[in-house]
Amino acid sequence: MTKILLVEDNEMNRDMLSRRLSRQGFEICCAIDGLAGVQAALDERPDLILMDVALGAMDGWEATTLIRARPETAGIPIIALTAHALQSDRERSIAVGCVDFDTKPVDFSRLLRKINGALGVAA
């Protein structure tokens, strides 16, 4: 079963995405902030990470940079999630090592296509 780590500080978003992804057959683990996300990436070794960008003390970009810096987690595809559809956010997400970027509120079918693409699964 494909494991996805969802790093999201908003409980409602975390709950909604977790349930919808679980119904698609994914195993979901969650972290509520950047630091917990970095640790969960090490502990859980997910197949993919959905990383909220706006996380407070350690934002998603910093967490992504730390995940990319460790050999054990460097190869995990990361998709950035943000409420801001700014080109600069997209560029920064790619610059720190995210394989893709999506905006919130999440268009679930679009996000699912991006997840499958990042995992190399045919749509």
Side-chain angles (χ1 to χ4, degrees), residues 12-77:
M12 222 165 58
N13 289 344
R14 201 169 53 242
D15 182 57
M16 182 272 298
L17 271 174
S18 293
R19 282 186 289 111
R20 292 192 75 182
L21 290 166
S22 291
R23 283 197 299 266
Q24 294 296 318
F26 295 107
E27 179 184 344
I28 306 300
C29 50
C30 294
I32 61 168
D33 59 38
L35 193 58
V38 172
Q39 191 60 52
L42 280 168
D43 295 344
E44 298 286 343
R45 301 293 166 89
D47 298 292
L48 181 129
I49 300 171
L50 294 175
M51 179 71 72
D52 184 20
V53 169
L55 289 170
M58 178 190 291
D59 67 28
W61 291 314
E62 186 178 349
T64 296
T65 301
L66 292 172
I67 290 167
R68 286 281 168 257
R70 301 196 68 136
E72 312 94 289
T73 55
I76 301 170

